[in-house]
Amino acid sequence: MEFFNSYILTLLILTPVVGALVLALLNKEKAETLRRTAFGFGLLTFVFSLHLVARFSSGQSGFQFAENHAWIPAYGIRYHVGVDGISLWLVILATFLTVVSILASWKGIEKRVKEFFIFILLLEAGMIGVFLSLDLFLFYVFWEVMLVPMYFLIGIWGHGRRIYAAVKFIIYTAVGSALMLVAILSLYFLNARATGVYTFDFPIWLNNIASNRLWIDPHIQNWLFLAFFASFAIKVPIFPLHTWLPDAHTEAPTAGSVLLAGVLLKMGTYGLLRFNVQLFPEATRTFTPFIITLAIIGIIYGALVAMVQPDLKRMVAYSSVSHLGFVVLGIFVFNMQGVEGAIYQMLNHGISTGGLFLIVGMIYERRHTREIAEFGGLATPMPRLATCFMIITLSSIGLPLLNGFVGEFLILVGGFGASIARAKLYTSLAATGVVWGAVYMLWMYQRVMLGEVTHEANKSLPDLSGREKWVLVPLILLALWMGIYPQFFLRKMDASVSRLLNPPIVMMVQK
Amino acid sequence: MEPRTYLWLIPILPLLGATLNGVLGRRFSRAAVSAIALLSTGLSCALAIFEVVTLSDVFPIIERHFTWIQAGSLRVGYDLLLDPLSSVMVLVVTVVGLLIHIYSVGYMAHEEGPNFGGFYRFFSYMNLFMFAMLTLVLANNYVLMFVGWEGVGLCSYLLIGFYFRKQSASDAGKKAFITNRIGDFGLTLGLFSLFWMFGTLDYQPIFARAAAMPVEPLHQFGALTIITLLLFIGATGKSAQIPLYVWLPDAMEGPTPVSALIHAATMVTAGVYMMARSNVLFSHAPTTLLIVAVIGAITALFAGTMGLVQRDMKRILAYSTISQLGYMFLACGVGAYAAGIFHLMTHAFFKALLFLAAGSVMHAMRGELDIFKMGGLRKKMATTYWTFLIASLAIAGIPGFSGFFSKDEILWRAFNSPEYGRLLWAVGWITAGLTALYMFRIVFVAFHGEFRGGDEAWHHAHESPRVIRVPLVLLAVGALLAGYVQVPKFIFGGVEKFSDFLAPVFASTTTHGVAETAVNGGHHLELGLTALSVLIALAGIGIAYLVFRAKPERADLLEQKLKPLHSLLFHKYWIDELYSTLFIRPIQFLSTWVLWKIVDLFVIDGLGVNGSGFVVRGLGRGLRHLQSGRVRAYAGWVVLGAVLIVAFLVFKV
């Protein structure tokens, strides 16, 4: 147990890597063995991650289960990982959705099964690493490493225009990453010049900033802020940097879409919350109105464009732009309601949009099309799928007692009380997103599931298989749990979020 | 010592029923499904009656459970409240709900063909609705109320679209949900404002502090005025008032018990309940009250006119519901909340009865709803006819029937309102005439005269089984007697049990706001006005008789003569078409062509992303010479570039 507590985070990062290595040694012809092995390692990682939840101390605002070792001492680069109330649930989300994705890929993936699951597990390691890293260099490494498996997942197992989508995804992200690297290096040197210590350590930087030992000229702060912002905004994606998303989502295999929407997008909002907001408080204040404006444009724009998409996956992709707009809004309203709502909404989006992609994937596996016009009346041959689809649709449009409501409600309550000019107007505009959400989701649901079966091919589609139930039911139970008793999740965020909003007193004294 | 209370069980029992039937119903027999649904509703009803009876001396009861959502200073508890107002609502919901559940066992067994499957699905949704509605009325804070509010909206959506293979049904469900969402948009903004103004969303602290605030001046838009207007927007959605009423007539696509329970007796009255619950806030905002009264009165009249010419029995009843809800809004608008709730209660009985009787007729007619294909049905279905007649007399406001007492109370209070009181009364008075006219149009056309549906249909027509007739009779008793809890003073000194019972809820309203109507003129005036309303109701019945019964060809003649007017009314003032042209189509056009095709695909992706790719490719051709092929040179370039940027950022200033 002691060992567990000390090395649990490393264990979380390594388990999928070990899983990938084991898969590499297996015979590539034995698809079923490969699937089972991948599933086993995914499940093991998930179980390990539950240990975090069990042992996480809610009252503590700092990083827990931290490990801090020298890695490249010559440059002050350290292997520093830790988890706090902001990253805790995101790690769980990543391990959970990985298991779900593996299960969902059982039938759909038939070529190069071995490589597929290796990439999935490597991707998992990368995602966990991003959320745990407390050394900016380490963070950057994970951030970049994660791109590679996703690139191949889209490029090899994707649909039609997969190469175009994969390249677009990688170029978009790489442009952002390059800017972020410059900003990280700048901070590294600025910190060294101010304090004489060469380090990429995030808590140390934060301390130096809070105690004013590291003072960054506002003008430079703005540039650094924008460099980080560019990288994260592309990932989120914030309007108008979103156009890689519909392509990547549409062409990616189901597991890719689930992890992309469920976890990868959250890295953008996580980065904004963790790094932009905390490292550059003045610049954050400067850019807040601008970012909130973009977030609101994203909410409405994403919803309206989602509404008219003829392709199911594209519709869900644009709906992500809308939902993530809510998250960004919540982060930049800077009160407990907004920020906790934003974190909650990150989890919600992982579950509801993950669920939507899974269902679209299941329909695709049966009909090999995603055109909404090709469907209609699917509830008749597939009543169980229709029920699951309905519940996830309702979760996505924020029906109370399901998860989505809690996040949206907190974000909007927070927005209404934000201490920025025209907060009420902004929030009212954002709140229209709740109406749009109902419009595009229910309209889509109607065209796909309701009515008479009009296409001959749809008449005898099989309903959910046993495995598919195992994929969807946990998501639905989670959506219910998060909607009925959100306290379980929210309470573990409190200390960290409140510290983020009211940084330690040193800052006020030294100013 | 606090008495032990079990309020939480009242909504949870139907939820259990819903879950059981929803998850396992496929495997249950019809009898088991019915038993679960009836038992859960019945127990909930019995418990509600028990709690109200035993606790009425110690009202209000607040039952606190767990904290549902907490973030910063916001705390939303799963807390329930039983006070006179929620008692009335809980009783109406469970009693009417139970009767309609019983009726449904007979109705759905008959109606549902093998095509649509899901006897259990129907009862699962109905029970879920009971849960949501009871949560709505028992909640002790606005957020929990909103849970019920959205929950009933969901069940309404599911049940309107119950026959999901029918395009019109799924369209109607979607329309209902989205229209309600528009209203909820206002409601939630109201909640956010309340929270930041009062620091809580619990009822008691908000009302206590609001009661101490000054009443905002008329014709001005202070904080409370804006908040109450936002809440009112929510109410117009749920309770189908102008401009958001358009979903309710279409909602008749659902099975008839659904129309009775959700779209007549309970859910659509949620807006009225919410305003009555928030009476302290509304009474401090006279501007809002005036708007509520005016919207209510106009809606009452407007919907009444549309009801005059429809041919579909359920649609006539739907317009009638909108119109009657308008009365309730008018009551709230003139500060007569108790009168509004009174009408809510009587309306629940007679309107549920009207719908259930209509369902009984539908059965006899094999689903036919056009009243002009009926006629003389009273000979075939006596119970249905008599109960329908009683309900019609009640809604028409004939003395002795429940609707008379409640409608008259509203008209009297409207008359005494200091702002446009006479005008509001006059609109309500004319509406009363229209009500009698369109109701007795149904009575005379469908139940009297000659049958117009052909021999075969006439032969098939029959009275419904007992499981359907019993709820009809019980509701008819309610429609007859429910009014006697509140009788005007000029009749044997009057009875004021109902308003006395509710008085604690509206206490601060009657001592503060403008709501206090100076009852001027006294009993003689009240008696005179009552006589006028009875007169116009009788006139309505008389005209209906002359036009539709005595000489049915007069109806066609009238229709010919008033062609433009008839067309206007029959097409419902073309409001649906107007909304479609003004909002739906422009938004679709904007989204498809401007936002998606132009902004997204052409500008951002085309010019921005791929355009820069194009530029880069061009640059690449020029800079190709830098590609010497030596790794050292590349590394050098990378280092140089990074150093330059870092140097620029670090040492610039």
Side-chain angles (χ1 to χ4, degrees):
Chain A
M1 233 13 2
E2 199 46 46
F3 170 82
F4 235 74
N5 281 336
S6 323
Y7 296 104
I8 177 70
L9 299 187
T10 305
L11 212 56
L12 277 176
I13 299 171
L14 283 185
T15 312
V17 177
V18 172
L21 289 175
V22 171
L23 284 180
L25 299 173
L26 290 174
N27 183 348
K28 66 176 182 187
E29 300 302 323
K30 292 187 170 159
E32 195 61 20
T33 317
L34 290 163
R35 291 183 189 117
R36 282 166 195 259
T37 313
F39 180 69
F41 276 95
L43 198 63
L44 191 65
T45 317
F46 175 60
V47 172
F48 284 160
S49 70
L50 291 182
H51 179 79
L52 290 185
V53 180
R55 288 304 174 88
F56 188 85
S57 148
S58 298
Q60 226 176 303
S61 64
F63 292 98
Q64 307 184 24
F65 309 99
E67 290 172 56
N68 194 345
H69 311 284
W71 180 22
I72 313 177
Y75 301 106
I77 297 170
R78 303 186 67 83
Y79 174 76
H80 188 185
V81 290
V83 67
D84 70 348
I86 295 170
S87 51
L88 172 71
W89 294 114
L90 292 168
V91 173
I92 310 293
L93 182 70
T95 58
F96 174 70
L97 285 182
T98 306
V99 180
V100 170
S101 310
I102 293 174
L103 212 51
S105 311
W106 220 266
K107 282 270 154 59
I109 301 300
E110 276 153 4
K111 67 168 181 181
R112 302 168 87 173
V113 177
K114 174 168 161 173
E115 286 92 338
F116 180 82
F117 286 111
I118 288 178
F119 283 130
I120 292 270
L121 288 175
L122 289 180
L123 181 66
E124 179 178 29
M127 298 187 301
I128 298 174
V130 164
F131 290 130
L132 293 180
S133 299
L134 296 178
D135 182 288
L136 267 290
F137 189 85
L138 185 66
F139 173 78
Y140 185 76
V141 169
F142 278 123
W143 181 271
E144 292 288 284
V145 158
M146 205 188 55
L147 290 181
V148 180
M150 188 45 94
Y151 172 76
F152 286 116
L153 285 175
I154 300 174
I156 299 177
W157 292 274
H159 310 295
R161 297 165 74 208
R162 55 179 180 268
I163 303 295
Y164 171 77
V167 170
K168 198 168 175 181
F169 165 73
I170 210 98
I171 287 181
Y172 247 110
T173 322
V175 169
S177 306
L179 293 170
M180 180 166 70
L181 178 64
V182 170
I184 290 176
L185 288 174
S186 307
L187 273 170
Y188 176 72
F189 287 116
L190 283 170
N191 181 60
R193 201 175 56 159
T195 63
V197 184
Y198 284 91
T199 180
F200 285 99
D201 195 89
F202 175 66
I204 293 179
W205 285 3
L206 217 52
N207 247 325
N208 290 342
I209 288 170
S211 61
N212 234 353
R213 271 195 297 274
L214 170 57
W215 181 83
I216 311 169
D217 178 84
H219 186 67
I220 293 187
Q221 228 187 78
N222 287 349
W223 283 107
L224 295 178
F225 180 95
L226 285 178
F228 270 97
F229 179 74
S231 180
F232 297 141
I234 287 172
K235 204 70 157 188
V236 170
I238 294 177
F239 175 91
L241 303 173
H242 63 274
T243 57
W244 65 271
L245 184 79
D247 286 317
H249 266 323
T250 313
E251 307 309 337
T254 301
S257 302
V258 171
L259 292 176
L260 191 58
V263 188
L264 263 66
L265 305 190
K266 282 24 168 248
M267 293 181 176
T269 43
Y270 169 77
L272 289 174
L273 186 58
R274 177 74 87 210
F275 300 117
N276 274 76
V277 167
Q278 300 201 69
L279 289 173
F280 316 110
E282 280 86 8
T284 302
R285 223 164 296 144
T286 311
F287 287 110
T288 292
F290 165 70
I291 295 175
I292 287 191
T293 308
L294 288 184
I296 289 164
I297 294 176
I299 291 174
I300 299 170
Y301 178 91
L304 289 178
V305 177
M307 185 172 75
V308 295
Q309 293 305 308
D311 180 301
L312 262 183
K313 262 191 153 178
R314 241 168 230 281
M315 192 229 92
V316 181
Y318 278 106
S319 85
S320 286
V321 176
S322 183
H323 283 208
L324 269 293
F326 274 105
V327 178
V328 174
L329 172 69
I331 291 174
F332 284 88
V333 302
F334 301 117
N335 51 35
M336 285 299 277
Q337 291 86 11
V339 175
E340 291 200 343
I343 301 173
Y344 212 73
Q345 194 64 3
M346 291 187 213
L347 308 175
N348 292 338
H349 180 261
I351 290 171
S352 53
T353 306
L356 289 176
F357 276 124
L358 289 168
I359 286 175
V360 175
M362 290 170 190
I363 298 177
Y364 182 84
E365 279 176 23
R366 289 163 167 77
R367 275 286 272 113
H368 298 285
T369 178
R370 295 179 310 261
E371 288 288 313
I372 293 177
E374 286 288 314
F375 304 123
L378 296 194
T380 306
M382 304 193 282
R384 290 196 176 87
L385 183 126
T387 309
C388 294
F389 198 179
M390 185 82 250
I391 296 173
I392 288 172
T393 297
L394 295 172
S395 139
S396 172
I397 64 179
L399 194 89
L401 297 187
L402 287 168
N403 55 352
F405 173 73
V406 181
E408 273 178 7
F409 186 75
L410 286 178
I411 289 168
L412 293 175
V413 168
F416 230 66
S419 49
I420 49 166
R422 293 188 289 278
K424 290 193 171 67
L425 175 70
Y426 281 136
T427 313
S428 306
L429 287 172
T432 60
V434 179
V435 180
W436 300 124
V439 172
Y440 67 75
M441 287 304 292
L442 293 185
W443 192 35
M444 177 276 293
Y445 189 87
Q446 181 191 25
R447 284 176 295 162
V448 175
M449 304 306 291
L450 307 180
E452 293 285 356
V453 184
T454 42
H455 294 262
E456 199 55 44
N458 295 333
K459 285 230 161 95
S460 53
L461 295 178
D463 205 352
L464 292 181
S465 71
R467 176 185 57 84
E468 287 169 331
K469 272 187 225 162
W470 275 101
V471 172
L472 291 179
V473 168
L475 282 174
I476 288 170
L477 290 180
L478 210 52
L480 277 166
W481 183 12
M482 290 181 69
I484 293 171
Y485 196 64
Q487 288 292 86
F488 179 79
F489 302 89
L490 288 172
R491 288 298 65 78
K492 290 190 165 47
M493 301 172 190
D494 279 341
S496 299
V497 172
S498 116
R499 183 187 154 104
L500 182 137
L501 292 171
N502 313 290
I505 206 77
V506 269
M507 190 174 175
M508 320 292 177
V509 179
Q510 303 248 341
K511 264 266 157 90
Chain B
M1 209 189 103
E2 288 279 307
R4 192 90 183 88
T5 59
Y6 300 92
L7 299 183
W8 61 280
L9 274 174
I10 299 176
I12 291 297
L13 282 166
L15 179 64
L16 270 176
T19 316
L20 259 179
N21 273 340
V23 178
L24 301 171
R26 191 183 290 263
R27 295 182 199 143
F28 293 161
S29 66
R30 282 179 177 233
V33 169
S34 322
I36 290 170
L38 290 190
L39 207 63
S40 61
T41 317
L43 283 176
S44 167
C45 179
L47 183 65
I49 294 171
F50 175 77
E51 294 286 60
V52 171
V53 170
T54 53
L55 298 173
S56 60
D57 299 334
V58 283
F59 277 162
I61 295 283
I62 295 172
E63 203 180 270
R64 292 184 196 283
H65 296 282
F66 58 91
T67 298
W68 176 39
I69 304 177
Q70 189 180 0
S73 56
L74 172 75
R75 181 200 166 272
V76 180
Y78 190 77
D79 301 336
L80 302 178
L81 163 74
L82 190 69
D83 71 343
L85 180 57
S86 47
S87 302
V88 172
M89 295 303 294
V90 164
L91 292 181
V92 167
V93 170
T94 53
V95 171
V96 175
L98 178 62
L99 291 176
I100 294 174
H101 270 73
I102 296 171
Y103 174 95
S104 304
V105 172
Y107 186 86
M108 293 310 286
H110 209 275
E111 155 156 333
E112 185 207 19
N115 268 341
F116 293 110
F119 185 72
Y120 74 95
R121 196 161 56 91
F122 176 82
F123 279 103
S124 177
Y125 293 165
M126 288 288 270
N127 272 15
L128 189 65
F129 170 79
M130 294 295 285
F131 160 73
M133 190 69 206
L134 290 167
T135 305
L136 194 163
V137 296
L138 283 171
N140 190 37
N141 60 60
Y142 277 103
V143 190
L144 195 59
M145 184 210 72
F146 188 69
V147 171
W149 186 275
E150 287 272 284
V152 291
L154 166 70
C155 298
S156 162
Y157 164 79
L158 293 172
L159 284 163
I160 295 170
F162 183 73
Y163 303 120
F164 63 85
R165 288 181 172 180
K166 252 174 93 185
Q167 179 74 22
S168 56
S170 68
D171 277 342
K174 186 183 62 183
K175 184 174 177 181
F177 197 97
I178 290 167
T179 314
N180 271 293
R181 266 281 160 115
I182 296 171
D184 296 351
F185 163 76
L187 179 61
T188 43
L189 294 186
L191 301 198
F192 303 151
S193 314
L194 276 175
F195 174 69
W196 291 105
M197 188 165 173
F198 294 98
T200 175
L201 283 167
D202 284 351
Y203 289 149
Q204 292 80 17
I206 291 181
F207 299 151
R209 281 192 44 205
M213 292 166 71
V215 172
E216 288 174 1
L218 188 65
H219 303 307
Q220 283 185 26
F221 291 86
L224 284 177
T225 307
I226 289 174
I227 289 177
T228 45
L229 276 176
L230 289 169
L231 297 181
F232 171 64
I233 291 175
T236 56
K238 191 108 307 181
S239 294
Q241 298 293 292
I242 292 172
L244 297 180
Y245 69 92
V246 288
W247 65 272
L248 188 61
D250 292 7
M252 297 305 125
E253 290 287 341
T256 308
V258 173
S259 311
L261 179 61
I262 302 185
H263 305 117
T266 57
M267 180 187 88
V268 287
T269 63
V272 182
Y273 165 75
M274 189 265 288
M275 290 198 294
R277 177 57 76 200
S278 318
N279 65 80
V280 181
L281 304 175
F282 278 88
S283 296
H284 280 69
T287 315
T288 310
L289 280 183
L290 184 60
I291 292 172
V292 173
V294 169
I295 293 278
I298 294 177
T299 307
L301 180 65
F302 183 68
T305 58
M306 288 186 279
L308 278 180
V309 296
Q310 302 302 314
R311 300 167 67 103
D312 178 315
M313 193 190 272
K314 277 176 75 183
R315 278 190 184 253
I316 303 172
L317 294 179
Y319 284 108
S320 158
T321 303
I322 299 174
S323 175
Q324 298 299 311
L325 288 165
Y327 274 119
M328 300 176 211
F329 273 61
L330 170 62
C332 292
V334 297
Y337 304 99
I341 295 295
F342 186 33
H343 196 57
L344 183 160
M345 180 185 77
T346 58
H347 176 257
F349 285 106
F350 58 68
K351 187 53 67 63
L353 174 52
L354 286 171
F355 270 110
L356 294 189
S360 175
V361 171
M362 260 177 92
H363 254 177
M365 299 291 301
R366 290 185 184 145
E368 180 59 63
L369 273 169
D370 187 341
I371 53 172
F372 287 98
K373 294 193 176 142
M374 305 171 189
L377 285 176
R378 80 194 149 100
K379 285 171 230 152
K380 285 266 186 173
M381 23 195 351
T383 314
T384 305
Y385 168 68
W386 282 107
T387 51
F388 194 93
L389 185 65
I390 290 172
S392 301
L393 290 167
I395 194 175
I398 298 304
F401 296 86
S402 61
F404 162 76
F405 300 105
S406 54
K407 189 187 285 179
D408 232 48
E409 176 96 3
I410 292 174
L411 288 178
W412 172 235
R413 295 294 296 267
F415 187 83
N416 284 298
S417 166
E419 301 299 326
Y420 309 105
R422 306 257 174 339
L423 193 61
L424 292 173
W425 174 86
V427 175
W429 180 72
I430 294 169
T431 306
L434 292 180
T435 310
L437 178 54
Y438 65 66
M439 282 315 303
F440 278 82
R441 174 168 168 260
I442 302 181
V443 171
F444 291 128
V445 172
F447 290 100
H448 291 261
E450 293 299 313
F451 190 75
R452 308 177 200 75
D455 287 344
E456 204 250 343
W458 175 248
H459 187 70
H460 175 267
H462 58 276
E463 180 61 295
S464 298
R466 182 173 302 170
V467 66
I468 284 181
R469 290 194 324 261
V470 169
L472 291 183
V473 172
L474 291 176
L475 282 170
V477 173
L480 252 174
L481 301 181
Y484 289 94
V485 291
Q486 181 82 3
V487 175
K489 281 229 166 53
F490 62 82
I491 301 175
F492 306 124
V495 178
E496 294 195 328
K497 281 216 172 90
F498 195 78
S499 54
D500 286 347
F501 182 64
L502 283 174
V505 183
F506 306 122
S508 55
T509 298
T510 33
T511 45
H512 290 278
V514 290
E516 189 180 7
T517 34
V519 180
N520 46 32
H523 301 333
H524 292 300
L525 183 57
E526 191 177 358
L527 184 62
L529 290 176
T530 303
L532 279 179
S533 351
V534 174
L535 217 63
I536 198 165
L538 291 174
I541 298 174
I543 292 171
Y545 180 81
L546 291 176
V547 176
F548 298 103
R549 176 73 184 95
K551 273 197 175 164
E553 56 276 16
R554 277 195 190 127
D556 301 324
L557 205 67
L558 214 59
E559 194 183 314
Q560 288 306 319
K561 272 196 178 154
L562 301 171
K563 191 71 199 163
L565 181 67
H566 181 270
S567 183
L568 182 70
L569 295 181
F570 189 75
H571 292 100
K572 303 163 284 182
Y573 299 90
W574 283 283
I575 295 289
D576 278 324
E577 289 77 4
L578 184 75
Y579 283 2
S580 172
T581 320
L582 276 185
F583 305 111
I584 299 170
R585 269 181 248 154
I587 287 172
Q588 279 191 344
F589 178 82
L590 174 87
S591 304
T592 314
W593 293 101
V594 180
L595 294 184
W596 182 35
K597 298 268 160 93
I598 294 181
V599 176
D600 217 64
L601 293 183
F602 183 69
V603 177
I604 300 178
D605 222 31
L607 298 182
V609 178
N610 296 333
S612 53
F614 187 74
V615 170
V616 168
R617 218 176 302 147
L619 276 176
R621 277 190 203 107
L623 297 174
R624 193 180 288 158
H625 311 294
L626 291 178
Q627 291 192 344
S628 51
R630 281 172 304 172
V631 177
R632 261 184 307 165
Y634 291 155
W637 287 118
V638 170
V639 171
L640 184 67
V643 167
L644 277 178
I645 295 171
V646 170
F648 171 77
L649 287 168
V650 178
F651 302 108
K652 194 186 141 200
V653 182

